Amino acid sequence: MNAEQWLRERTYHHSAFWDLKKMVAQKEEQNLKISLCLPTLNEGATIGKEVVLLKSALMDHYPLLDEIAVIDSGSTDDTREIAAAFGADVYLASEHLTEAGDRKGKGENLWKALYLLEGDIICYVDSDIANIHPRFVYGLLGPLIENPDVHYVKAFYDRPLAFSQGIRPTGGGRVTEILIRPLFSLFYPELAAIIQPLSGEYAGRRSVLEKIPFPVGYGVETAMLLDIYNDMGLSAFAQTDLDTRVHRNQETIALGRMAFGILRTFFNRLSSHERIELKGELEKIMRQHRVEDGRFDQVEYQIEEFERPPINTLESYREKFGLGG
């Protein structure tokens, strides 16, 4: 399947899956369990609405989801208390898989979710969405339930940015357009067909996710795409248009640090996939500048992008899910 055919056949709109009663019947016919993971760090402003709305629509009214879990990185606000009060299962990431130690980052939560949750399909949705709607979940699950050849589904959408003064109607995706799409075009041109490779909403089959390493930081979304593509090709993917996603804006200087982490992951994948040969280790220090009283200072940030191994290599995981060997 080439990129043009893939765009034509594997790009969906969430409205194709509006019939939730039909989706639940298809899920039950396949005897599938489906889990929703909401990774959090200080998301008290939005997590309650996400849990209430998604649980009401996709568990209580239409039983598409078997569990909704918040995996928290150590929030200092009331994120965990709010999520639990509205019916989510809540896990503090540092308290689980303790034999593997504790790392901070979204990827750590996504990786531990594979151990903590039971689903054959895991759907990941960010917890800072101001306009949350059930389409953020069923739009991603639809291609996986309808097509056994699809193993991983990525979201795309318009991304107006939320500011204190209101909503800016265009923007977003700056790291994608300036960094990721040029890199994909250079080294993995077929993946340039994915419209928003860094979107925070995606769903995948456990049988695929358990076999790939997870960077704990900025590179987790990029690594998932590259590793699944390297193993299975473009035909393993689909993407769904979820219309509009309203979220917080990040300053450009913060996006620079994100880009540094993604680049570390990207070049390490280029090396492990034998597309380039690196002469030594990549730098771990990102250097930026600040101005104070007319003086320029250099500020250094260590961005290591530690990676978790494929979770099916952990003895405790293999024991819990009955994997041999």
Side-chain angles (χ1 to χ4, degrees):
M1 178 179 284
N2 60 35
E4 185 178 343
Q5 182 185 5
W6 182 86
L7 265 171
R8 189 171 59 249
E9 297 181 5
R10 294 290 175 81
T11 300
Y12 300 88
H13 187 267
H14 68 81
S15 59
F17 310 108
W18 68 269
D19 189 344
L20 294 179
K21 185 176 180 181
K22 176 185 173 185
M23 283 187 66
V24 171
Q26 291 175 313
K27 169 203 164 189
E28 292 175 349
E29 285 174 8
Q30 298 173 55
N31 196 28
L32 285 174
K33 277 189 174 181
I34 301 177
S35 302
L36 173 63
C37 169
L38 305 171
T40 58
L41 177 62
N42 294 328
E43 303 293 356
T46 49
I47 190 63
K49 182 179 177 182
E50 287 205 16
V51 172
V52 166
L53 194 149
L54 298 177
K55 183 174 183 297
S56 173
L58 303 178
M59 284 186 77
D60 300 338
H61 199 59
Y62 294 101
L64 187 62
L65 297 174
D66 295 283
E67 58 184 339
I68 297 177
V70 165
I71 315 291
D72 188 69
S73 293
S75 294
T76 53
D77 66 2
D78 50 2
T79 294
R80 294 193 297 278
E81 290 78 8
I82 293 173
F86 286 116
D89 300 326
V90 178
Y91 302 92
L92 184 59
S94 60
E95 294 179 347
H96 300 276
L97 286 180
T98 54
E99 68 273 24
D102 179 34
R103 296 278 178 168
K104 298 300 182 189
K106 176 182 174 182
E108 177 85 347
N109 297 12
L110 308 186
W111 183 72
K112 288 189 174 178
L114 292 173
Y115 173 78
L116 293 166
L117 307 187
E118 301 284 344
D120 305 297
I121 293 172
I122 313 293
C123 182
Y124 298 109
V125 172
D126 277 352
S127 303
D128 64 342
I129 303 174
N131 64 326
I132 190 67
H133 182 278
R135 68 177 185 270
F136 282 83
V137 176
Y138 68 70
L140 296 173
L141 297 178
L144 290 161
I145 292 174
E146 287 198 350
N147 189 341
D149 294 329
V150 172
H151 296 271
Y152 186 91
V153 182
K154 195 79 179 174
F156 68 97
Y157 26 61
D158 291 329
R159 298 174 49 154
L161 302 178
F163 290 85
S164 57
Q165 302 91 341
I167 300 294
R168 180 186 293 175
T170 59
R174 290 165 286 175
V175 178
T176 290
E177 296 305 329
I178 293 171
L179 181 72
I180 296 298
R181 198 170 308 287
L183 283 172
F184 279 178
S185 297
L186 283 169
F187 295 103
Y188 300 87
E190 285 191 327
L191 286 178
I194 295 177
I195 294 172
Q196 283 182 349
L198 298 183
S199 67
E201 288 67 46
Y202 34 90
R205 300 189 190 279
R206 175 180 294 276
S207 56
V208 171
L209 297 172
E210 68 183 3
K211 295 177 182 173
I212 58 175
F214 278 52
V216 303
Y218 298 117
V220 63
E221 280 88 9
T222 307
M224 282 186 183
L225 294 179
L226 297 180
D227 288 337
I228 295 171
Y229 177 75
N230 193 56
D231 290 343
M232 307 180 75
L234 187 62
S235 61
F237 296 95
Q239 60 185 349
T240 302
D241 182 353
L242 301 182
D243 283 344
T244 302
R245 180 192 192 278
V246 180
H247 64 115
R248 288 192 305 267
N249 183 34
Q250 290 200 63
E251 294 181 356
T252 301
I253 199 164
L255 295 181
R257 294 192 289 274
M258 177 191 295
F260 182 88
I262 290 171
L263 278 170
R264 279 186 52 83
T265 297
F266 196 93
F267 277 95
N268 281 326
R269 289 301 185 280
L270 287 176
S271 177
S272 64
H273 296 168
E274 299 181 342
R275 290 173 181 254
I276 64 169
E277 183 179 355
L278 293 175
K279 303 292 186 183
E281 282 194 29
L282 295 170
E283 283 283 338
K284 299 175 182 176
I285 303 296
M286 171 67 175
R287 296 169 175 84
Q288 296 180 315
H289 295 90
R290 67 183 174 199
V291 183
E292 189 169 347
D293 297 330
R295 188 185 67 199
F296 289 87
D297 293 322
Q298 195 172 70
V299 184
E300 295 185 347
Y301 297 89
Q302 178 157 330
I303 302 173
E304 190 171 352
E305 283 300 310
F306 179 84
E307 294 202 10
R308 291 297 194 182
I311 202 162
N312 69 357
T313 62
L314 267 66
E315 185 176 342
S316 51
Y317 180 88
R318 299 185 67 81
E319 183 177 341
K320 177 175 179 178
F321 290 94
L323 302 180

